[in-house]
């Protein structure tokens, strides 16, 4: 029986291995992690991450051919194929700080593999890593090999949170990069056979190692670039009276462009887009390509611009000050159907409003108060480290309260900011909310989930990203 071990039981390692176990009953899959709490949660009824359909998959195979353990060395020792799906945060100190990927966790995983392995192994890069990382990993493993042979494969993950199970069941493609040697090709075939249990052969792409590593960074950069493109256009829509939803629809109807990923928003968030683009920028700089680096940097600059533009809209429409005013924030997760808050635009928007001394009341159906307080207190990039290395119990931000009900959050508020596109925000009783708010009552829709005309009829002053401006906002500067 083939044995797989995955190092890293996070958003990628957990769901990916659960689906492999489900689709390949003949393979034993063990997911290991240094976090005792995380492994305990994977072994309980309350999984550590919220992902539609995940509970069901885990229930079907946990204890059968899917296991979660903290006994890392034992399972690495026993495995034929080792996936490494650990954090690859942005470096915060030293060479490349603020841009380069921090490969500390990856390197320590590789050294541990070299220490405990007693038989040949296929080591699979599942984490997103800088192009050429496989070469470094290969060096660490072979310099400590004790005669054991390793094959390194790059098998980047393309799942999106909130649709992870769907994406894993039916991926657009699975990408496997390996060495172009007989041993390398054999290893690629071995991994291909795993995926071939459920993925059609024509969707399993095989390439050289560097193409696979770079394709992952490039794919995320292209996706983020589409959002920054439509967000840049949203600012121009507000200035001209065009409607970004109509423009995006018309643009996306061109089959060469396509309709997906053209929703204007308060900005993209999530653990990877910014990190991976910064990583790409750094690699370009290191390869003497400053023009290419600057091109991609602009995607992040527009994203930052979009977030501060939103905060400015809020503050300037409310008589240029939100000091002491209650502002309700609906949605804190970086997108709907996840409890994940990593790099969520809500953090920057809340920090911007707090900077203007607002009192914030937050409601998100999946995010806890503890998480929100940690996010608002944490330094940039600190979140992307294993939990036990993150700052402990930061002091709570006093001007922030967290409720478990949208009506409670909005009661007595001067303004409402919608920052995540949860479906339930489309169906709220806005007339009831209006009644309970201070007047004039404002709604700032950072996700275009509400119908501005309907809300204006109720009495709200409405700002929707990229939509024709409310007369109230017309003469106010949009400049950051
Ligand atoms: N979150 C996402 O949707 C996607 C993430 N990725 C990439 O996958 C990688 C992992 O991301 P996530 O799963 O989101 O991160 P995560 O932070 O949820 O999980 C990583 C896990 O690795 C563990 N870990 C770190 N060092 C370890 C070590 N030496 N031994 C054992 N366990 C260790 C941590 O405790 C943590 O539980 C990153 O490189 C990310 O860029 C790729 C595609 C999608
Ligand atoms: O490498 C990764 O981590 C993953 O990053 C993204 O997945 P994810 O971040 O989970 O979620 P997305 O659906 O891509 O959304 C990212 C952000 O962009 C925003 N977004 C998305 C689409 C859109 O049209 N407009 C928009 O503002 C979302 O609200 C969210 O804040 C990619 O879609 C995945 O393919 C990739 O594997």
């Amino acid at each position: 029986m083939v044995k797989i071990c995955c190092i890293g039981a996070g958003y990628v390692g957990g769901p990916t291995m659960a689906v492999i176990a489900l689709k390949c009953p003949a393979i034993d899959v063990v997911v290991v992690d240094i976090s005792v709490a995380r492994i305990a949660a994977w072994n309980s009824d309350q999984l550590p991450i919220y992902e539609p359909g995940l509970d069901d998959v885990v229930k079907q195979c946990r204890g059968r051919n899917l296991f979660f353990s903290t006994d890392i060395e034992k399972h690495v020792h026993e495995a034929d194929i080792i996936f490494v799906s650990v954090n690859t945060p942005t470096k915060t100190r030293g060479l490349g700080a603020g841009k380069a990927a921090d490969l500390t966790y990856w390197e320590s995983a590789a050294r541990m593999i070299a220490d405990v392995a007693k038989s040949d192994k296929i080591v699979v890069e599942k984490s997103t890593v800088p192009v050429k990382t496989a070469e470094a990993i290969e060096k660490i493993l072979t310099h400590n090999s004790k005669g054991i042979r390793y094959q390194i494969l790059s098998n980047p993950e393309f799942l999106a949170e909130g649709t992870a199970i769907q994406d894993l069941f039916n991926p657009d493609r699975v990408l496997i990069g390996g060495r172009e040697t007989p041993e390398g090709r054999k290893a690629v075939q071995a991994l291909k056979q795993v995926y071939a249990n459920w993925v059609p052969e024509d969707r399993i792409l095989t390439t050289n190692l560097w193409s696979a590593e770079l394709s992952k960074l490039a794919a995320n950069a292209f996706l983020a670039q589409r959002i920054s493109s439509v967000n840049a256009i949203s600012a121009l829509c507000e200035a001209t009276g065009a409607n970004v939803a109509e423009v995006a629809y018309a643009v996306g109807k061109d089959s060469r462009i396509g309709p997906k990923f053209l929703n204007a928003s308060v900005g993209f968030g999530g653990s990877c887009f910014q990190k991976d683009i910064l990583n790409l920028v750094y690699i370009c700089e290191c390869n003497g390509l400053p023009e290419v680096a600057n091109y991609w940097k602009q995607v992040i600059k527009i994203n930052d611009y979009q977030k501060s533009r939103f905060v400015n809209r809020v503050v300037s429409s409310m008589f240029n000050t939100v000091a002491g005013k209650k502002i309700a924030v609906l949605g804190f997760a970086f997108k709907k159907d996840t409890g994940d808050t990593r790099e969520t635009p809500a953090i920057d928007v809340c920090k911007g409003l707090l900077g203007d001394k607002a009192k914030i009341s937050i409601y998100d159906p999946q995010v806890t108060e503890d998480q929100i307080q940690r996010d608002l207190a944490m330094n940039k990039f600190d979140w992307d480290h294993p939990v036990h290395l993150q700052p402990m119990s930061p002091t709570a931000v006093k001007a922030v309260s967290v409720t478990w009900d949208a009506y409670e959050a909005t009661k007595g508020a001067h303004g409402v900011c919608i920052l995540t596109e949860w479906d339930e925000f489309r169906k709220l009783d806005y007339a009831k909310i209006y009644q309970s708010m201070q007047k004039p009552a404002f709604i700032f829709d950072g996700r275009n989930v509400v119908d501005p005309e309907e809300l204006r009829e109720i009495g709200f002053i409405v700002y929707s990203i990229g939509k024709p401006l409310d007369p109230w906002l017309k003469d106010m500067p949009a400049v950051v």
Side-chain angles (χ1 to χ4, degrees), residues 7-13 32-35 38 72 85-88 105 108-109 112 126-129 157-161 216 271-272 275-276 340 342 384-388:
I7 305 177
Y11 285 86
V12 170
V32 296
D33 203 292
I34 42 177
S35 164
R38 218 165 201 188
I72 304 180
S85 185
V86 300
N87 324 55
T88 49
Y105 307 111
S108 80
M112 187 269 302
K126 199 43 145 171
S127 305
T128 303
V129 290
E157 185 48 60
F158 295 100
L159 67 79
E161 286 174 35
K216 173 63 195 175
S271 59
C272 293
K275 163 173 84 77
D276 294 349
D340 193 354
R342 297 178 292 177
D384 200 7
H385 291 268
V387 176
H388 70 284

Side-chain angles (χ1 to χ4, degrees), residues 425-436:
F425 298 157
R426 296 177 197 276
K427 298 176 215 135
L428 290 172
D429 181 347
Y430 283 98
K432 177 174 160 187
I433 289 176
Y434 181 75
Q435 290 307 327
S436 75

Side-chain angles (χ1 to χ4, degrees), residues 6 8-10 13-15 17-18 29-33 38-44 47-48 54 58 61-63 66-71 75:
C6 175
M17 293 304 124
V29 182
V30 185
V31 192
V32 296
D33 203 292
R38 218 165 201 188
I39 291 297
W42 279 111
N43 281 320
S44 76
L47 300 185
L54 177 63
V58 170
C61 29
R62 195 173 53 195
L66 174 68
F67 306 91
F68 296 92
S69 169
T70 48
D71 195 346
H75 295 292

Side-chain angles (χ1 to χ4, degrees), residues 253-274:
K253 270 291 179 189
D254 186 323
S255 60
R256 293 168 301 174
I257 297 173
K260 293 184 183 165
F261 248 68
L262 286 178
N263 293 322
S265 66
V266 59
F268 60 74
S271 59
C272 293
F273 280 173
Q274 171 166 292

Side-chain angles (χ1 to χ4, degrees), residues 82-113:
I82 302 165
F83 285 80
V84 183
S85 185
V86 300
N87 324 55
T88 49
T90 305
K91 273 185 90 171
T92 49
R93 312 177 71 165
L95 188 64
K99 274 184 277 192
D102 179 350
L103 293 178
T104 312
Y105 307 111
W106 230 112
E107 184 175 336
S108 80
R111 287 185 185 279
M112 187 269 302
I113 295 171

Side-chain angles (χ1 to χ4, degrees), residues 417-428:
C417 297
I418 301 175
L419 300 184
T420 312
E421 72 283 19
W422 286 104
D423 290 337
E424 63 180 77
F425 298 157
R426 296 177 197 276
K427 298 176 215 135
L428 290 172

Side-chain angles (χ1 to χ4, degrees), residues 47-64:
L47 300 185
I49 61 177
Y50 170 71
E51 193 62 62
L54 177 63
D55 278 29
D56 206 38
V57 175
V58 170
K59 268 192 200 126
Q60 285 185 61
C61 29
R62 195 173 53 195
R64 182 189 76 185

